[in-house]
Amino acid sequence: MSRSRQPPLVTGISPNEGIPWTKVTIRGENLGTGPTDLIGLTICGHNCLLTAEWMSASKIVCRVGQAKNDKGDIIVTTKSGGRGTSTVSFKLLKPEKIGILDQSAVWVDEMNYYDMRTDRNKGIPPLSLRPANPLGIEIEKSKFSQKDLEMLFHGMSADFTSENFSAAWYLIENHSNTSFEQLKMAVTNLKRQANKKSEGSLAYVKGGLSTFFEAQDALSAIHQKLEADGTEKVEGSMTQKLENVLNSKFCPTTQNYLWILQHALKLVLGPDIAGQGRASNTADTLFQEVLGRKDKADSTRNALNVLQRFKFLFNLPLNIERNIQKGDYDVVINDYEKAKSLFGKTEVQVFKKYYAEVETRIEALRELLLDKLLETPSTLHDQKRYIRYLSDLHASGDPAWQCIGAQHKWILQLMHSCKEGYVKDLKGNPGLHSPMLDLDNDTRPSVLGHLSQTASLKRGSSFQSGRDDTWRYKTPHRVAFVEKLTKLVLSQLPNFWKLWISYVNGSLFSETAEKSGQIERSKNVRQRQNDFKKMIQEVMHSLVKLTRGALLPLSIRDGEAKQYGGWEVKCELSGQWLAHAIQTVRLTHESLTALEIPNDLLQTIQDLILDLRVRCVMATLQHTAEEIKRLAEKEDWIVDNEGLTSLPCQFEQCIVCSLQSLKGVLECKPGEASVFQQPKTQEEVCQLSINIMQVFIYCLEQLSTKPDADIDTTHLSVDVSSPDLFGSIHEDFSLTSEQRLLIVLSNCCYLERHTFLNIAEHFEKHNFQGIEKITQVSMASLKELDQRLFENYIELKADPIVGSLEPGIYAGYFDWKDCLPPTGVRNYLKEALVNIIAVHAEVFTISKELVPRVLSKVIEAVSEELSRLMQCVSSFSKNGALQARLEICALRDTVAVYLTPESKSSFKQALEALPQLSSGADKKLLEELLNKFKSSMHLQLTCFQAASSTMMKT
């Protein structure tokens, strides 16, 4: 027969797990058309139809029974749909055993209990019942015999319900092989059981509230039923009838229990049910001693409860000491706040006494925390923590401000101790700093030395530096002190500043602080802003003064020299070390600016940086002048194709390197002023720059006038590419004073045309002021030296030639009035020309560019002397006039390329002093003799022709 409906389908159950007799709600489809249609309901294989309550075709409510399976399906069977299926399952949990002393809202079967010692079930009296496994861990029986244990624990028992219970015996007997970790778990289980029992009756009442209501309803129904039955069907009270029957049939002991039952019924069902007979009196007599002991126990329990209730206060002094030793200050503060709120205003003497002990220990804690707060050094985190603790403990005064003051003193002390340590080390080891700080004994390889060595290598010379090329790079004490000082300030001041910021915004204090305390702190902050500003100013002042004492000792007053100075050094730091110190101070200023410290507090550092920059420029220029002064010692006298030595190049490179080292110093960082903003500084820098130029000019003058004996020229030679007009170059070649003059003159020309102009450009590139003045003064000094040296050379070369003219003219008693017809140019003139050619060769060997300048001046002197001699002759014969005209024209035509307006004028005046040629034969003879002279001295006169062609090309 086909069914009219689909089989039942269970799709949900709530809850999906629980102990037996748990009430569950089953939901699904086709669960029946009504209560009569439901014919079967099993959960985990147990039939629950008896407790099932059909609600609708999709909902059934029932209670889970005692099932064999831990987990199973929910099967619903109906008449209309047959046996159904389930998509969900229910998990049956095992109920916890309820001890005899445990409270329970349901009926507990007290017949059978599990005895661990005998490992079997037996009925035992309820008072002897005990938990099966109080430790909650697996029991492992030991191999010790019972006799041995009884002898070891004489008079004791392993039964934990016994008054002579021995825990050691119990553990040896049941847990001899248990690990220490499992024993720790057992302790946790015991604590959990104790806490569960101490929850009190409230949780028990809440958990079994429905059971209480059901019991109350049942007792009320019984009461009403008994009243109705007793009055209508029985004569007298139903309980009275029951009592009479029992008195006649049961023994006295049984009667006592019945009286107890009657007394209980009287309490539960009311006085009308139970009589006022013998049962009540007998029960009172029987339980009087028990009730007395119960009252005494209640009194003791109440006293213990009082002690237990206020044990927090009684144990607090000892707990405070223990927590202070462990460093658990938060716990101490919380306990103190709790005690203060509970017993701060108590009138009970015992409580007052213990609370006074608490206050004594809290005061000691305040002193301890304050000492830790003021202890240095300490981290910002610890400082904030101690301040917060003292704030929570309501410490007197202002601990935060005291901490700020202590940190301020500590920073100043560190700064001065740092200075004292370096000064002491410097005095104890004076030899360590001398080579580093003494400009004259600087062991570092200078820029000039490096350039000189490079130039020498290029020319293939055997240049040997006068200094040790190895530099033991060791920081001077004063520079190292400044680095250490700034590092110290940057390590301490940020935390100091952050501490103040936290003090201002109140983050140092507890969030639960009282409003009155916050208002008081706000007043303190306003009053102490100026004080803190003075602290920062004092730190900045000390930093600047100590730095000035080390780097700029002349900038501090005499009264402050002992406090901030005391270095006792005889020489200044070099520009390189000052530049390094400037970079250190700049980084310090940037770091302090990043802390958002107001600029007015950092202005002293800006002033220090400016003074250091100015001093660095001055020291560098002074040091450059010293280096340039030593350039004369490094002149190698090696001449290149242009007639120059390496000296001008070394001079320019020295200045360029010095300016390059000042690039970072002269550059203005944000907020910095220009080094040249003060007119006084501009003037000093300009004067130092001029001094550098003049020092080099003085070096040139020294080189030009230095005696031959002071110059070692055994290793020198001219450039192999230069023409050698003297034949082969011998190994014993040495420079004459005239040659040195020519070399210096050649260098002077190059300086005027190139070097000084290049240096002026470099000065302008680095924003130097007064460049025009520097250039003008330097050029004037250079030209003055050049002119002086040139005149000296001309005097050395022209005077012998000029002096030889007059003796040569009148040699052999020559007379212009009485002489033979001319046959050619006389020897004096040829000798003069040879001497001029020698001058040409000497100059040409050094510098081709100097040849026109020198020869023109020599020829001017010769022409002027020749003109004077001609004008001094009173009269000329015909032959004398022709001879004089021949010699004058020969000289003029030979050096025509070097004639100047002055020399031309002299030759003109000389010719005008001679009588004019009257006949053509004389002119022809003059021309023939000139051609003969030029032809005979063609080789000697080639130098003048080459010069002529060169000048024409240029």
Side-chain angles (χ1 to χ4, degrees), residues 743-757:
I743 293 174
V744 173
L745 280 173
S746 177
N747 287 338
C748 287
C749 294
Y750 184 82
L751 289 170
E752 182 180 356
R753 292 196 306 269
H754 299 94
T755 304
F756 277 16
L757 297 179

Side-chain angles (χ1 to χ4, degrees), residues 91 93 152 275 347 488 589 596 602 620 672 710 768 908:
K91 183 177 181 181
L93 304 178
L152 182 62
E347 296 297 332
L488 187 150
H589 181 268
E596 300 182 356
L602 303 177
T620 301
E672 293 182 357
D710 295 342
F768 273 59
K908 183 179 180 182

Side-chain angles (χ1 to χ4, degrees), residues 663-683:
K663 182 178 179 180
V665 176
L666 296 174
E667 182 182 357
C668 294
K669 299 294 183 180
E672 293 182 357
S674 173
V675 173
F676 307 108
Q677 69 173 356
Q678 296 294 335
K680 181 180 178 182
T681 305
Q682 295 179 14
E683 183 63 28

Side-chain angles (χ1 to χ4, degrees), residues 809-824:
I809 290 175
Y810 297 104
Y813 301 102
F814 180 81
D815 187 1
W816 295 107
K817 298 176 182 179
D818 184 14
C819 62
L820 297 175
T823 58

Side-chain angles (χ1 to χ4, degrees), residues 399-410:
W401 181 252
Q402 293 178 3
C403 178
I404 291 174
Q407 285 298 113
H408 170 247
K409 293 179 181 178
W410 169 248

